[in-house]
Amino acid sequence: MKKIIIIGLIGLMGHVHGQAIAKLSADTIALGDQTTLSIQRALTYPSTEQLSQNGIVALSQNYDSTQHTLYTTLTSFEPGTHYVRLSEDDSLMLTVLDVDVDTTTAEIRDIAPIEKVPYTFWEIFRWILLGLGILALAFGGWWFWKKWKSGKVSEWLSNEPVDTRTPEERALDNLESLRQKQLWQSGRVKEYHTELTDTVRTFIEEATGIRATDMTSDETIEEMENGKWTVDNSLLRDIFTTADLVKFAKSEPLPHEHDRSMSEATEFVKSLWEQVKPKEEVPNA
């Protein structure tokens, strides 16, 4: 039997006033079932928070403006008698029945094992893609390490073009460039002989492995004389002696001595390279 309460001029928790009518669609429900509270012609209406008390939970509300009625869906998960409080003096009773379980007839079973679901094509395919990605990363890392070890990476990162000339070609090109600068003709004698000997030292280091750029003139000549090369080291001695006199004794060589140093440097480079250059393989007849 539905219970209807007429609330007149009594505050519904301070929210329902006037000649209001409140009723439940069902005043007895099973545990977890729902009932609807309708409040009609009230000046103000309670919120879900205000109605959620005494073991009752207000789930949702809907207002019908044509009937001036607020509908609130209520439920409860606690068996027993509960009261929907509408005002300080009035409330609606709601009985919540517990769910009885007959353990004598009910079949009690073990927890079912987890059911294995077969893999889909996409699940298998994405694992294949992951494996291929890992292999690609591993190969890329190995390839990059090999290039880094060989010095290729630094060449790629550099904006300068790769110099593919042989040590002889590089030395002869630098000597020719020095000749065209005409440094000693313009009074820059020390700069001329310094650049000339630096070119020869760099060539010796690239061609033989002797650290000529870090040695004195005497040390370089001694290393060349103790080496396995049969070059005319007197050419090298003349070049270094003339340069050392210019740099350290402020000597002023004669014009032909400048040209002689250039000629001797060119001859020395060609002579040494003939002995150290890689041998060309002769194809079998």
Side-chain angles (χ1 to χ4, degrees):
M1 179 179 181
K2 299 179 183 178
K3 183 177 181 180
I4 301 176
I5 294 180
I6 299 177
I7 307 171
L9 302 178
I10 299 177
L12 176 60
M13 296 290 291
H15 290 275
V16 179
H17 304 279
Q19 192 70 20
I21 300 175
K23 63 180 180 179
L24 291 170
S25 61
D27 54 13
T28 301
I29 60 173
L31 187 71
D33 281 352
Q34 299 176 0
T35 184
T36 301
L37 168 66
S38 59
I39 302 176
Q40 187 178 12
R41 292 198 301 270
L43 297 179
T44 58
Y45 298 90
S47 64
T48 55
E49 289 79 8
Q50 293 170 324
L51 293 174
S52 296
Q53 54 183 313
N54 302 324
I56 296 174
V57 179
L59 299 176
S60 61
Q61 289 184 321
N62 179 39
Y63 181 72
D64 185 352
S65 59
T66 60
Q67 300 293 327
H68 303 288
T69 302
L70 176 69
Y71 297 95
T72 305
T73 302
L74 306 176
T75 189
S76 178
F77 301 98
E78 299 178 15
T81 301
H82 306 284
Y83 292 91
V84 182
R85 189 178 179 185
L86 303 175
S87 69
E88 294 181 359
D89 300 319
D90 295 305
S91 61
L92 290 174
M93 186 177 69
L94 176 64
T95 302
V96 180
L97 303 177
D98 197 0
V99 178
D100 295 329
V101 178
D102 188 355
T103 58
T104 60
T105 59
E107 183 181 358
I108 300 177
R109 300 179 182 178
D110 293 335
I111 298 175
I114 299 175
E115 183 179 354
K116 293 183 179 180
V117 179
Y119 288 105
T120 63
F121 170 78
W122 169 243
E123 289 175 329
I124 298 174
F125 184 67
R126 65 182 180 182
W127 281 109
I128 295 175
L129 288 179
L130 179 61
L132 292 176
I134 294 174
L135 289 176
L137 288 175
F139 176 78
W142 172 83
W143 180 85
F144 185 83
W145 178 80
K146 294 287 287 185
K147 295 300 181 182
W148 180 274
K149 189 176 180 181
S150 64
K152 295 294 184 180
V153 175
S154 59
E155 294 178 2
W156 296 337
L157 297 178
S158 175
N159 293 326
E160 299 180 0
V162 179
D163 191 349
T164 58
R165 296 174 297 174
T166 65
E168 179 200 33
E169 292 171 339
R170 191 159 36 249
L172 294 179
D173 288 346
N174 291 339
L175 289 175
E176 179 60 27
S177 176
L178 175 61
R179 188 198 308 274
Q180 294 179 5
K181 290 180 181 178
Q182 297 186 344
L183 295 179
W184 69 265
Q185 292 90 334
S186 58
R188 297 156 64 183
V189 176
K190 181 178 180 180
E191 184 177 346
Y192 170 80
H193 285 277
T194 299
E195 187 170 337
L196 188 146
T197 54
D198 286 347
T199 299
V200 174
R201 290 177 186 275
T202 301
F203 168 74
I204 292 174
E205 187 166 314
E206 292 179 348
T208 67
I210 296 175
R211 301 298 298 273
T213 56
D214 298 329
M215 296 179 178
T216 64
S217 299
D218 291 339
E219 290 173 340
T220 303
I221 294 172
E222 183 179 357
E223 287 290 330
M224 289 297 302
E225 290 177 343
N226 294 334
K228 58 184 178 180
W229 310 282
T230 58
V231 294
D232 187 359
N233 288 309
S234 63
L235 298 174
L236 189 62
R237 189 178 299 276
D238 286 344
I239 295 169
F240 284 163
T241 299
T242 302
D244 289 344
L245 288 174
V246 171
K247 291 188 286 185
F248 304 115
K250 297 183 179 180
S251 174
E252 186 69 31
L254 296 175
H256 75 276
E257 293 178 309
H258 298 306
D259 291 334
R260 185 184 64 191
S261 292
M262 176 65 70
S263 300
E264 290 175 337
T266 303
E267 183 180 350
F268 176 80
V269 168
K270 291 180 178 180
S271 175
L272 180 57
W273 183 250
E274 282 297 322
Q275 298 187 40
V276 301
K277 67 181 180 180
K279 302 300 181 181
E280 296 182 1
E281 295 184 1
V282 179
N284 296 329

